[in-house]
Amino acid sequence: MSELIQLPSYKEQSPEVSARFEALHKRPVKLKVEGLSKTFHTSKGSVNVLKSIDLNVYRREFVSVIGPSGCGKSTLIRMLAGLETLSGGRFLLNDKEVSGPSADRGMVFQGYTLFPWLSVKKNVMFGLEVNGRSGTAVEQEALQWIELVGLARFADAYPSQLSGGMKQRVAIARALATQPEVLFMDEPFGALDPHTRSQMQAYLLQIWKNVDVTIMFVTHDLDEAIYLSDRILVLKANPGEIHEFIEVPVPRPRTPEQFLSPEFLSVKQHLEELIHPVSSNDDEPTDLPIVRMTSASDNVE
Amino acid sequence: MKSEEIAAKTSSPWFAIRKDLDSKQRLILSCFSFLLPILIWVIVSYTPFIWHPDVKLQLSADRTDVTTIYSAGDRLSKEFYPSFVEAIQSDNAEILAAREQGEVDGSASRIRRANLKVMRHITPVVTANGWLTRDEVKDESLYGVWQKLAEGSLEQKRVQLSAENMEIIKRNWALMSERSEVFDSKLLPETPLEKLVPQGKPSNPSYLPSPHEVVVKGIQDFTAEADGNNPSLFQRYRHSLRIVFLGFLFAALVGVPLGVICGTFDFFSKLFEPFIDFFRYMPAPAFSTLLVAVFLANDAPKIALVFVGTFFQLVLVVANTTRQLDASLLEAAQTLGANKSTQIRRVILPGILPDLFNDLRILLGWAWTWLVIAELIGVKSGLTEFMDTQGRFRNFDSVFPVIILIGVSGFVTDQILSSLRKYLFPWTPESSSKKHGFIGRFIYWLLDRKVYDSPLNGKV
Ligand SMILES: Nc1ncnc2c1ncn2[C@@H]1O[C@H](COP(=O)(O)OP(=O)(O)O)[C@@H](O)[C@H]1O
Ligand SMILES: [Mg+2]
């Protein structure tokens, strides 16, 4: 298909888009990562998972992280969230070095991780109460966040009574309630069906618009990454290094119709090339050596 | 009509590989799982040609040449019983032969005494048939029974005297009435009377009493009042319950915090668990003498034995349950700002609670199994002492009700706790999906009598 239509380069930006990136780069740096590396020591020896990662994320930016599976995407954001120790390098939040997990860096996991014994409202209140607040104000605030993700009707339900998409919205509300500087999301929609997934993407863009939060979003879905992000961090595997940090030329506000716009397709094509290089296809044959097993005489194709 | 047909079609097949049956089928099968063993017991007990290796005597007699004495209620093996009967019959033949030849052996008073014994031997049949109560049995009244039997004016309901015995009774009564119509120890016949021939019916060994014997004896035992230093069965039961529950309570009070700590911090896990793991392989009863030496008399060593038998298992199980908690919940809590103590209080504890409850329920069952051994150590006590005494006398019809009581207590406690789970932990998936069981409906009904009046079945 790409041969038939002449796509623009993914680096070409419309004047509005480049103006937007210019403004973005003038914003304060929220997250500064310097020479970050990670080595896991296991009984089978040590694995160098991430090597010298340097990057800046600006305030209220939406950054996606993609890369082949096992390249260290989860490890990277888990380190930034304080859930994994650093083997080397450091990172600064608002120019201050931080360590260990804390409420200023929220996290949304693929597996929802809602507290099953708490109702939706209590789940959202958890972070607020843990940080020493109590009283009716906390409850009011929690209800506002629940309303923001559109689940006011389910405030008193238990997580087990919700669908996957609803659970993930509660998890987002819970993470946002403590008003983190950065919100890390590790394939949050990976377990959802395609329809719910695209719904959730729209919700997330809406929420991000209304809340002062910087988002770092891990995904393996290229469309999702392009649709949501300002910039896309592409990692390569063994050892995990930055392949490229791409500025997405698709203008905002984003709509699902843009999935077929030339800018969108050009970024997607480039990402495909980065993640699935042609050379790596050599050792994996695309045609399976299939022997006809059935005696059917009519051909299905 | 239509809907009934559909309902009939939707009931699941009885034999499907790895498919659940519907609730009605499950209920039926659960009932059968209890009915089947009872049915087998009933069949074995009440079908005379199945097994029944013994003969239970309804009427016994003394042999002249042998000192072993059997009385009514004793069991003889089927092989031995005929020779016992023959021996009495040959005794009788000798008596008759001697009487014919006019030979009388021994003094008149000795013969009278032997005849008195013969007369008294009918007693078990008299009481079994209800002709006299146990208190009414006197020589005078027995004499009257002989008379009535000879005249044929007594109805033989429970124990039928054999024709042979009826002949003997008539012949004996002829001799007796010749001397006197009423009892007088001086006026008993001075010729030897024929002995009643032993009678019995097929029976199982004493260790397998039949169901009705167990039920009757159970009711008797449980309604018996306490006397002196012999507590009633209910007092014994309470005593046994106390030992089980206190032993378990102490084990849980110490074991749960320890288990949670071990499951939370690898430090404590590696510090405590290896030894506990080793210790639990030493059987608790091995410590019984030690426990008695340490805790002295009374209940303390018994409670300690239940503790020892439960505690080590409990710590390991609780530690494991704690480790099973999804670690990502803790990570989520950390990214929300929870520190260590908050993580334990607000994530680990509530998170493991449903499983912890389940563990404790299973371990309570474990504690029950130590009861009997615990009550045997030191001074025997409670239900076990009763079983031990009765068992020694081979009164297994008294032992069975107690065994069943212990089983039922454990089972019922377990069922109650297990159905409480979904009310205590409404967030667990099982509580929202499963229908309320019998006990659950009962609890709801206790909380709100009107629940089942509404057409919504309590759901608003
Ligand atoms: N705790 C760990 N111990 C050892 N190896 C790990 C650990 N966590 C991740 N890894 C390894 O690090 C690599 C990157 O993992 P991950 O960050 O989960 O990849 P991704 O999220 O990009 O799929 C994988 O090869 C994985 O096996
Ligand atoms: Mg991952």
Side-chain angles (χ1 to χ4, degrees):
Chain A
M1 190 171 83
S2 51
E3 270 104 310
L4 302 179
I5 305 165
Q6 194 55 50
L7 287 176
S9 159
Y10 72 96
K11 289 202 164 138
E12 260 174 45
Q13 294 176 352
S14 67
E16 299 88 64
V17 172
S18 61
R20 189 181 139 72
F21 276 114
E22 223 163 277
L24 199 129
H25 289 283
K26 284 199 189 107
R27 292 192 205 148
V29 175
K30 181 100 311 188
L31 193 65
K32 190 175 185 66
V33 180
E34 293 174 345
L36 205 64
S37 71
K38 180 73 188 177
T39 309
F40 282 113
H41 301 280
T42 61
S43 51
K44 285 187 194 132
S46 48
V47 199
N48 194 357
V49 175
L50 285 173
K51 205 176 124 188
S52 56
I53 305 285
D54 290 281
L55 60 101
N56 287 340
V57 177
Y58 299 94
R59 192 177 146 235
R60 289 208 73 189
E61 194 178 10
F62 197 122
V63 172
S64 284
V65 183
I66 63 168
S69 105
C71 70
K73 305 182 292 287
S74 300
T75 307
L76 173 63
I77 67 163
R78 283 172 58 80
M79 278 160 82
L80 297 178
L83 296 174
E84 211 73 78
T85 55
L86 316 186
S87 302
R90 58 174 199 158
F91 64 92
L92 310 167
L93 184 73
N94 293 329
D95 292 328
K96 279 194 288 289
E97 198 164 336
V98 285
S99 69
S102 132
D104 55 19
R105 281 154 294 142
M107 179 96 165
V108 174
F109 302 80
Q110 179 175 359
Y112 316 124
T113 64
L114 296 177
F115 304 121
W117 58 93
L118 297 178
S119 66
V120 166
K121 188 170 74 186
K122 291 270 172 61
N123 257 289
V124 177
M125 283 161 66
F126 184 93
L128 299 169
E129 288 175 348
V130 158
N131 289 296
R133 297 179 48 192
S134 59
T136 49
V138 170
E139 199 173 330
Q140 286 312 312
E141 211 172 308
L143 285 174
Q144 276 172 15
W145 287 106
I146 294 168
E147 224 160 279
L148 181 84
V149 296
L151 287 174
R153 261 177 1 101
F154 296 93
D156 292 315
Y158 284 111
S160 61
Q161 296 164 309
L162 305 181
S163 70
M166 283 150 84
K167 279 183 205 167
Q168 205 55 292
R169 269 141 75 192
V170 178
I172 293 170
R174 182 180 67 176
L176 290 175
T178 51
Q179 307 200 348
E181 307 275 346
V182 189
L183 180 64
F184 299 103
M185 303 180 88
D186 190 358
E187 304 196 27
F189 309 146
L192 304 178
D193 64 85
H195 176 73
T196 317
R197 196 183 173 114
S198 54
Q199 237 178 8
M200 290 296 293
Q201 291 163 359
Y203 280 131
L204 183 60
L205 279 182
Q206 240 174 44
I207 293 167
W208 175 62
K209 212 180 289 173
N210 296 328
V211 180
D212 177 5
V213 68
T214 309
I215 295 181
M216 230 173 144
F217 188 99
V218 172
T219 177
H220 59 251
D221 180 337
L222 303 184
D223 287 325
E224 186 170 72
I226 302 167
Y227 178 54
L228 296 175
S229 351
D230 293 315
R231 288 190 296 163
I232 300 175
L233 181 72
V234 187
L235 295 182
K236 65 178 175 205
N238 299 325
E241 279 177 309
I242 296 183
H243 213 0
E244 198 173 344
F245 208 175
I246 298 171
E247 294 182 343
V248 179
V250 184
R252 289 194 188 266
R254 302 268 165 84
T255 60
E257 289 84 62
Q258 290 170 321
F259 277 103
L260 293 175
S261 69
E263 300 96 339
F264 198 101
L265 292 176
S266 71
V267 185
K268 189 169 174 188
Q269 191 190 15
H270 181 64
L271 290 176
E272 296 263 21
E273 281 161 9
L274 286 180
I275 293 175
H276 311 294
V278 190
S279 59
S280 78
N281 281 359
D282 293 348
D283 44 319
E284 273 195 42
T286 44
D287 281 331
L288 296 174
I290 286 190
V291 182
R292 190 129 187 195
M293 299 285 196
T294 62
S295 57
S297 56
D298 52 339
N299 282 318
V300 287
E301 259 184 88
Chain B
M1 263 330 272
K2 262 272 157 68
S3 69
E4 263 170 47
E5 270 166 38
I6 289 166
K9 264 185 199 158
T10 51
S11 94
S12 359
W14 288 94
F15 298 98
I17 291 174
R18 292 292 304 262
K19 290 276 187 315
D20 287 342
L21 296 172
D22 64 36
S23 60
K24 207 166 141 202
Q25 290 169 315
R26 258 179 294 180
L27 182 69
I28 294 172
L29 291 179
S30 304
C31 291
F32 267 107
S33 101
F34 282 89
L35 285 179
L36 273 179
I38 294 177
L39 196 68
I40 292 171
W41 186 20
V42 165
I43 290 172
V44 171
S45 297
Y46 297 128
T47 324
F49 51 85
I50 295 179
W51 202 27
H52 286 76
D54 290 352
V55 173
K56 190 178 181 185
L57 291 180
Q58 295 168 315
L59 185 61
S60 185
D62 292 343
R63 283 165 69 172
T64 30
D65 49 343
V66 181
T67 44
T68 343
I69 296 169
Y70 298 105
S71 47
D74 284 352
R75 286 169 168 87
L76 307 183
S77 79
K78 247 182 193 153
E79 288 73 42
F80 176 66
Y81 173 73
S83 69
F84 179 49
V85 173
E86 270 162 32
I88 302 294
Q89 282 168 337
S90 74
D91 282 357
N92 280 346
E94 264 172 43
I95 289 170
L96 286 179
R99 209 188 278 166
E100 216 138 276
Q101 287 167 14
E103 283 174 21
V104 176
D105 211 13
S107 71
S109 70
R110 228 183 98 188
I111 294 171
R112 278 207 306 273
R113 239 181 296 134
N115 284 344
L116 183 60
K117 268 193 185 166
V118 170
M119 188 196 86
R120 283 175 183 168
H121 257 129
I122 204 170
T123 311
V125 180
V126 173
T127 48
N129 276 325
W131 297 329
L132 296 174
T133 64
R134 225 168 264 279
D135 298 334
E136 286 168 351
V137 173
K138 298 268 158 43
D139 289 336
E140 291 78 8
S141 48
L142 279 179
Y143 205 78
V145 169
W146 276 83
Q147 178 181 13
K148 284 185 203 148
L149 269 175
E151 289 163 359
S153 62
L154 279 177
E155 201 193 344
Q156 300 176 15
K157 275 177 295 187
R158 307 275 308 271
V159 180
Q160 296 278 337
L161 286 163
S162 63
E164 184 186 13
N165 274 331
M166 287 307 290
E167 288 305 313
I168 292 173
I169 288 170
K170 282 189 189 135
R171 284 200 291 273
N172 280 353
W173 177 248
L175 290 175
M176 288 154 79
S177 60
E178 228 169 65
R179 297 271 296 174
S180 165
E181 287 285 333
V182 291
F183 177 77
D184 185 335
S185 60
K186 297 264 159 43
L187 289 178
L188 281 169
E190 288 177 356
T191 43
L193 293 171
E194 287 170 75
K195 300 171 190 173
L196 291 173
V197 177
Q199 269 182 245
K201 57 176 182 184
S203 107
N204 283 328
S206 59
Y207 55 78
L208 188 73
S210 53
H212 77 273
E213 290 172 318
V214 170
V215 170
V216 169
K217 198 65 199 240
I219 293 172
Q220 260 176 30
D221 287 342
F222 278 96
T223 47
E225 300 280 322
D227 72 75
N229 50 6
N230 221 358
S232 77
L233 262 186
F234 277 104
Q235 287 165 334
R236 289 175 182 281
Y237 182 44
R238 219 171 307 140
H239 187 262
S240 296
L241 283 181
R242 206 177 90 92
I243 286 172
V244 172
F245 281 101
L246 279 183
F248 175 75
L249 185 74
F250 290 134
L253 279 181
V254 187
V256 170
L258 193 59
V260 171
I261 293 281
C262 285
T264 306
F265 297 102
D266 208 30
F267 177 87
F268 293 106
S269 165
K270 295 297 177 296
L271 185 62
F272 294 134
E273 280 184 53
F275 180 75
I276 291 174
D277 204 14
F278 152 70
F279 204 97
R280 81 192 162 118
Y281 284 103
M282 297 191 271
F287 293 91
S288 54
T289 47
L290 181 70
L291 292 174
V292 172
V294 175
F295 293 102
L296 305 174
N298 292 333
D299 291 347
K302 299 168 196 293
I303 294 169
L305 186 111
V306 175
F307 179 91
V308 170
T310 319
F311 174 76
F312 299 97
Q313 209 68 26
L314 189 141
V315 173
L316 294 185
V317 169
V318 172
N320 222 27
T321 293
T322 310
R323 276 189 287 268
Q324 299 285 308
L325 181 74
D326 188 0
S328 59
L329 291 182
L330 291 167
E331 292 186 340
Q334 279 172 287
T335 60
L336 293 167
N339 58 22
K340 274 185 198 158
S341 92
T342 315
Q343 283 176 61
I344 294 176
R345 275 185 301 110
R346 299 199 50 165
V347 182
I348 292 182
L349 287 182
I352 65 169
L353 211 52
D355 288 334
L356 184 65
F357 182 81
N358 220 22
D359 290 344
L360 292 183
R361 179 174 71 83
I362 290 162
L363 282 156
L364 180 60
W366 193 277
W368 269 107
T369 61
W370 294 116
L371 170 69
V372 172
I373 293 163
E375 287 191 326
L376 280 178
I377 72 170
V379 183
K380 288 182 192 125
S381 70
L383 293 176
T384 308
E385 189 202 3
F386 180 81
M387 283 197 287
D388 194 55
T389 325
Q390 299 298 329
R392 251 168 238 262
F393 294 119
R394 306 185 67 78
N395 294 336
F396 292 103
D397 44 355
S398 283
V399 174
F400 273 87
V402 178
I403 296 180
I404 294 171
L405 175 72
I406 294 177
V408 166
S409 311
F411 184 73
V412 169
T413 323
D414 194 68
Q415 288 294 307
I416 291 177
L417 291 179
S418 137
S419 57
L420 274 182
R421 220 170 105 89
K422 51 178 171 269
Y423 305 98
L424 295 174
F425 313 112
W427 64 86
T428 50
E430 70 192 302
S431 92
S432 52
S433 62
K434 263 200 216 154
K435 262 176 56 180
H436 300 309
F438 169 73
I439 296 172
R441 286 204 296 268
F442 180 68
I443 293 169
Y444 264 154
W445 179 80
L446 281 186
L447 294 176
D448 177 8
R449 302 279 152 104
K450 292 200 191 71
V451 163
Y452 291 103
D453 297 348
S454 82
L456 283 172
N457 207 8
K459 284 182 208 119
V460 191

